[in-house]
Amino acid sequence: MTNKIDDILSSWSAGRNALLYGPPATGKTRLISELFDALNNPPKAHKGILLDVADAAKPFSRPEQEITIPQPIKVVWTTFHQSYGYEDFVMGLRPEITDTGTRLQPWAGIFLDAALELADSESEYKSVVIFIDEINRGNAARIFGEFMTFLDFDYRDGGLVPLPLPLRQLTYEEGQSEEISRPGGKSASIPEGFTFPRHIYIVSTMNSVDRAAVPIDSALARRFNRIEMRPSLSVLAQLWDLDETTIPAPTDANWETLSPFVTSYLLLDRLNVAVSTDLGREFEFGHGLLTPVLAKKTADDGTIQPVEENDAWRSLAKTWDEMLFPQLEDRYSGRPQQLLDLLHVDTAPPAGGYAWTLRTNLGSTVAASTLAPVRVSELDIEVIKRSFRWLTR
C-alpha cells in the first residue's frame, strides 16, 4: 500500500486530486484515515511519509516520501451520503432573525471554507486537504455544482486561466461581499473577482460495486487521478505469517490437510477468480473481509500466542456467515445455478458431511434448485473443515 501513498502525494504535487476506487474491504477508507492522521499530527523533524502495513499500531513513519505541498496543512474529513448537498459542501443560506426581521445568512461549506481559510491573512495554514469518503454515495455533481470547475487547478489562482468565484447568491457593496459565516464562529467576506486558491487538495474513496451509490459522471471523474485499490492476498499472507511461495494448489492428494489460514487464502483467491470471470473484477471481494480470521491472540498474561486451530476454523465459518456469504448471495442474485456451481453443491466431497446442499421439500416430487439455508459456524467442526477445504478446489 506504500505505493498508493506515493500515488496520492504525486497527484497533489502535479496539481491533481486523487480518487481511490475498488471493491469494498480493500483498505480505501483505512488508508485515507491513517493519512489524515499523519498529516494532522506531523512529526516536527521530517517532511516525508512511509507506510508500514506490518505495524498495526503505528503504520506511518517518516521520512521517505516527501510532502511537496506547502505546510502547515489543514485537514478536513467528510463523508458523502444521499442527504448531503451543495449547501454542506459549498455554501448554503440559513434564516437568521435580526432587529429588522428575518434574513438569509450565507454559511460556508467545507470547500468554500477551505478557500476562505487560505485567503485569511491571519491563518497559519498554507494548504488544505479535504478527505471525502464514499464520494459516490451522494450526488457528487450536484454537491460540487459550479465549483466542479475548481477541481481543475488550471482555473485556480496561479493557473493557466484563473476564474473568479461564481457566487451569485452573495450581495456585494463597494466591491466586497456580505459577511459569510464560517465554522467555529468565524466570518469572512470576499472581494469581487476573488479567485480560488491553488493549494486545496482532495483525496476521495469510491466503492466500485455499491449498487446504492450514484455513478460519478465523466466530467467529475476526469478531474481526479484514479488510483485502483485491488484485493491483496499478500496482506492476508502477512497477517497470517504465510510464505506465499510455499502455498500449494489444492489437489486430490492434499486438500484434506490444508490449514485454516491456507484454506482462507485459497478460498479468497478462488472466489475472486470466479466472481471476476462471471461478473467483472469490480465485484471481487476485498481482503479486509477475511482479516477477522486471526492467527494470533493476546493471552491473559499479555503474551501473544497462536490461536487454537479449531478456533481459527470457527472464526472462518463465522466470517463466512456474517460477511462473505451475504455479499456472495448479493452478487449472484438472479444467477442461482452459478452460485450452486461455485459452492460445488452438485460435486460435494465423496465422503462425510458438506455444508452446502439443495433445499428439500417433504412430500413433493419437484426437484429443488435452491440452496438450503445454513449457518456454517453452527455445524460440526469436521464438517466446517471439510467444506471450506473442498471449496478451495
Side-chain angles (χ1 to χ4, degrees), residues 294-338:
L294 298 177
K296 299 175 183 178
K297 65 178 180 180
T298 303
D300 293 338
D301 60 2
T303 60
I304 304 299
Q305 299 179 358
V307 301
E308 297 290 335
E309 182 174 308
N310 283 354
D311 290 340
W313 284 111
R314 291 286 183 192
S315 180
L316 172 58
K318 183 178 180 182
T319 300
W320 172 270
D321 288 337
E322 296 179 355
M323 303 180 72
L324 272 170
F325 186 67
Q327 294 198 35
L328 194 64
E329 276 191 308
D330 182 63
R331 283 160 172 72
Y332 281 90
S333 176
R335 299 178 175 88
Q337 188 56 50
Q338 284 182 295

Side-chain angles (χ1 to χ4, degrees), residues 139-214:
N139 188 335
R142 178 186 175 277
I143 291 170
F144 281 94
E146 71 273 27
F147 271 60
M148 187 187 300
T149 300
F150 298 110
L151 291 175
D152 192 327
F153 284 65
D154 286 343
Y155 303 117
R156 300 184 182 186
D157 186 36
L160 294 177
V161 187
L163 298 175
L165 290 189
L167 289 173
R168 298 181 179 85
Q169 306 97 313
L170 298 176
T171 58
Y172 289 82
E173 289 186 9
E174 299 180 356
Q176 200 74 14
S177 77
E178 61 185 302
E179 288 291 308
I180 305 169
S181 295
R182 297 180 56 198
K186 299 179 181 179
S187 64
S189 63
I190 57 176
E192 287 187 291
F194 177 76
T195 54
F196 199 82
R198 179 171 184 82
H199 296 296
I200 295 173
Y201 306 89
I202 292 176
V203 58
S204 57
T205 68
M206 180 180 79
N207 278 339
S208 57
V209 72
D210 194 343
R211 295 177 182 176
V214 179

Side-chain angles (χ1 to χ4, degrees), residues 94-105:
R94 302 181 185 179
E96 183 179 85
I97 299 175
T98 67
D99 294 339
T100 57
T102 302
R103 61 183 294 270
L104 293 177
Q105 172 64 31

